[in-house]
Structures are given as structure tokens and as C-alpha cells.
Amino acid sequence: FEDAEALLKQAGADLNSIARTWCYLNDILSWYTSFNATRSRFFAQRKLLSPTQSGRLPASTGMGVHPAGDARCLVDLFAVVGDAPCNRAPEGCLCKHLAAGKQRAAMEYGSSFARASTVCTPSGRTVFVSGTAAIDPAGVTCFLDDIPGQIRMTLDCLRAVLGDLQCPTQNAVQAMAYCKTAQ
């Protein structure tokens, strides 16, 4: 995240400019709690995570995909750089939605990301939905050992987020699914 911050500064932006991150974590299950704590601490230090600064966290997904080489973590991001006014969205070109659909704000259970973000682009509005899973309001995984149940609940949660943001599912242009095992 420090490297991302330095790159954003070179482009005249800051961490608040990030709409969406993808965090590729080697052996995710063994250290996801530590990753979340570190990310939360970093975002709190940078004032993206505080009781008085809502709507600053980016949408995000953490997945267990091994980065190249010996790296344990790789972060990819999409940021909105520049201060040109947005004519299409009165709330601004970049909006972050901490809670959406059927899921509360992730920060309520110790994770630091928004459920979604919306960005005005030259081709129209883009909606970035965070990694969505079969979790209850406390962030606990539902339907353990019931893969069809997890998939149904995940898709239901995803449709609810898109519905809150007035984004019909038929307008989706890309979706990615990450599974714990190949089976």
C-alpha cells in the first residue's frame, strides 16, 4: 500500500483516489486476519478509516492467488486521477459505498473495504463490486461444506449490491469467481 501511495502521488493523486483494489495473497487463509489488521492500520493512519471520514475506503477483493516470485502479496488498483468536474454524476466521479445490498459495512467486522464503488468513465458509469461471499452480517461464512448454497447466497448478495446501485445484472461486462479448490 505504501508503494501504491507513492505511485499515486507521482500521478498527482492520493489513496482516496482509489476506486477498487484487487489483493492477491499467497496462502490467503493462513494470514488473511493479519492482512486485514495491517490494511486497517494503514488506512487509519492515512485517514481513510475513521469514524469521521466515511466513504473513503475503496472497493476490494482479496483472493488466494500466488503472486509471482516470492511475494506474499500483490495489489492491483483502479484510481480516479485528476480534479475535472463530472457532469454526469452530481455526487462526483468517484463514489464509495461502504454498505450495499444485504451486507453491512465490512469495517464493522474488522475488514477495510467498501462493498462497491462507482466511477464515471468516458464510456459511462462503471460499478466495481467488492469480493462478495456467502457471509452473514457478522462476517461469518455461511453454508460451510455446501458449495451450491454458498454460490446461491453469494449471487444473491451480488444481485442485491447491484440492485442498490441501480445496475441491472444484464449490464455486467466482467465477473470473476475465485474458489478455494479446483473441485
Side-chain angles (χ1 to χ4, degrees), residues 52-66:
T52 60
Q53 298 290 333
S54 63
R56 292 180 164 254
L57 295 172
S60 187
T61 298
M63 77 284 304
V65 175
H66 192 297

Side-chain angles (χ1 to χ4, degrees), residues 48-151:
L48 269 68
L49 180 62
S50 83
T52 60
Q53 298 290 333
S54 63
R56 292 180 164 254
L57 295 172
S60 187
T61 298
M63 77 284 304
V65 175
H66 192 297
D70 294 331
R72 291 200 63 203
C73 176
L74 172 91
V75 176
D76 192 8
L77 63 88
F78 182 97
V80 176
V81 179
D83 58 0
C86 184
N87 296 332
R88 289 179 301 215
E91 66 279 3
C93 272
L94 171 57
C95 296
K96 300 170 185 177
H97 311 277
L98 293 180
K102 298 179 176 193
Q103 296 180 327
R104 300 180 351 218
M107 58 199 264
E108 291 181 26
Y109 60 81
S111 200
S112 298
F113 62 88
R115 289 287 170 202
S117 62
T118 54
V119 177
C120 289
T121 67
S123 62
R125 184 174 75 121
T126 297
V127 176
F128 291 106
V129 178
S130 289
T132 302
I135 58 170
D136 68 14
V140 176
T141 301
C142 299
F143 297 101
L144 287 174
D145 300 320
D146 177 5
I147 294 170
Q150 282 197 349
I151 292 170

Side-chain angles (χ1 to χ4, degrees), residues 9 26 43 68 72 98 147 155 162 182:
K9 283 182 182 178
N26 184 23
F43 283 168
R72 291 200 63 203
L98 293 180
I147 294 170
L155 292 174
L162 292 172

Side-chain angles (χ1 to χ4, degrees), residues 33-50:
T33 300
S34 297
F35 169 79
N36 273 326
T38 300
R39 174 174 56 180
S40 295
R41 189 171 44 256
F42 179 81
F43 283 168
Q45 290 168 350
R46 301 308 196 272
K47 309 276 191 266
L48 269 68
L49 180 62
S50 83

